[in-house]
Amino acid sequence: MQQQHRIIVIGAGYTGASAAGRLARRLRNEDVSITLVNAEPDFVERVRMHQLAAGQDLRPRPFREMFAGTDVQLRLAKVTGIDVDHRTVSVTDPNGAGEPEDLEYDTLVYALGSAWNAHAVPGAAEHAHDIAGRPGALRLRDRLAALAPGEPVVVVGGGLTGVEAATEIAETRPDLDVALVARGALGDWLSPKGARHLRKVFAGLKITAHEHTVATAVEADHVTTAEGDIPAAITVWTTGFAVHPIARATALETADNGQIVVDATMRSASHPDVYAIGDAALVAGPGDKPLRMSCASGVPTAWQAADAIAARLTGGKLPTISARYFNQCVSLGRKEGLIQYVTADDRAASAALTGRLAAFYKELVCKGAAWGVANPTMGLPTRRRRATGEPVRAGATAA
Ligand SMILES: Cc1cc2nc3c(=O)[nH]c(=O)nc-3n(C[C@H](O)[C@H](O)[C@H](O)COP(=O)(O)OP(=O)(O)OC[C@H]3O[C@@H](n4cnc5c(N)ncnc54)[C@H](O)[C@@H]3O)c2cc1C
């Protein structure tokens, strides 16, 4: 009997879990084994981390329920390294302790996502909070719950995550003094209609916007800027995500920011038996602009990688979907939202949806994204094909 082709997917966020489910739909259990490695036992809805931090409880989504009855084998473990020459992934127990073990793969899908940039400015790692993952969001939740009325909370970062965090906190805790620090004008990436709406919501929630202000350091009780210190009992840092250092420590070709360089099928430019997806991959989008780290653009990269792996193993046709943007969905608390329609390459178009309808739409998008992950073998029809080709080995030429 032909040996099973061993596919290991590392990281079970939006993209890794989607890729594993799609692979199970496309390929036969007799031909391939699919192992999904993740450090946490539950799927984390990262797009709701500001809600978790603000005190809302999220629905638990255990992987063992999500993947029950599928051909995906779950492995609760922390990835500590990859040897791309020997095709092994080193794992320990989920806490990073215990005896290390090497898992062998024929094809690796790298989907470890990203975290916050704790070293963006001096003092951030020691004094600031993050909402890029569950542990950070839970720490912030505890701190917020302990704050007395009138105490100042400063959110640094005027992008999507910062705006969502500031509005969520201000709506939940109107007794706090919430401020946001933005390098440019508030909502300067939005259409005039979208930016006007954002200002209206900020005014309604009494959030102070420190515009054209660059935070240069964080202390225990303030944020330092060129314009002066801003008092902060809590600082929330949201100025962009940083990828995990694991890929950069391998022989994989990576960009300056540590993202893995891939081709149009999400296959590593340097190692054809490795695919990278989601935040961890440097993917050329429309106009050759790198795709923004987002769930919206990341999930199609998971489909692309899974379909490409299946096609290469079964002698099928390679997928040719090209990623594009449609809208940016921004929650502004639970009662308000903003859907900014964008061009294919993510520039604001004039149209924007605002108000309760936008909040409802954003909620639907979040639910839909989680549903897609939680129902890995539902949705598209199953088209399992027999593997025909030889397993792709290191050194083979990337198509
Ligand atoms: C507050 C917030 C709001 C957001 N809102 C939006 C939005 O509205 N729209 C949008 O498109 N995007 C949004 N994003 C961005 C989006 O969440 C990410 O781009 C997306 O989660 C990336 O998916 P991923 O699968 O690449 O990585 P992740 O979802 O981060 O998944 C990575 C997985 O790898 C696991 N992992 C990491 N390291 C290890 C290790 N060493 N060993 C084992 N497992 C490991 C993690 O536990 C996780 O399960 C938001 C992000 C945040 C933080």
Side-chain angles (χ1 to χ4, degrees), residues 123 126-128 143 151-154 217-224 229-235:
E126 297 81 6
H127 304 300
R143 284 288 319 277
E151 292 209 71
V153 176
V154 177
V218 183
E219 298 288 343
D221 59 357
H222 68 267
V223 174
T224 307
D229 292 348
I230 303 172
I234 292 179
T235 300

Side-chain angles (χ1 to χ4, degrees), residues 7 24 31-32 53-54 73 101 122 128 168 213 224 246 261 270 301 396:
I7 303 176
D31 301 327
V32 297
Q73 295 157 35
E101 188 189 336
E168 200 75 44
T213 303
T224 307
I246 291 178
V261 180
S270 59
T301 68

Side-chain angles (χ1 to χ4, degrees), residues 164-251:
E164 290 197 325
T167 49
E168 200 75 44
I169 295 168
E171 184 188 84
T172 314
R173 291 289 307 272
D175 58 317
L176 297 176
D177 179 9
V178 180
L180 178 128
V181 174
R183 186 184 281 271
L186 182 65
D188 57 4
W189 80 92
L190 298 165
S191 63
K193 179 180 177 185
R196 264 196 315 275
H197 185 68
L198 186 59
R199 282 189 188 278
K200 195 174 123 197
V201 174
F202 263 52
L205 293 171
K206 299 191 170 43
I207 303 170
T208 309
H210 296 275
E211 301 177 74
H212 307 288
T213 303
V214 178
T216 52
V218 183
E219 298 288 343
D221 59 357
H222 68 267
V223 174
T224 307
T225 78
E227 285 71 31
D229 292 348
I230 303 172
I234 292 179
T235 300
V236 186
W237 196 267
T238 70
T239 61
F241 302 133
V243 297
H244 297 285
I246 291 178
R248 211 199 308 246
T250 68

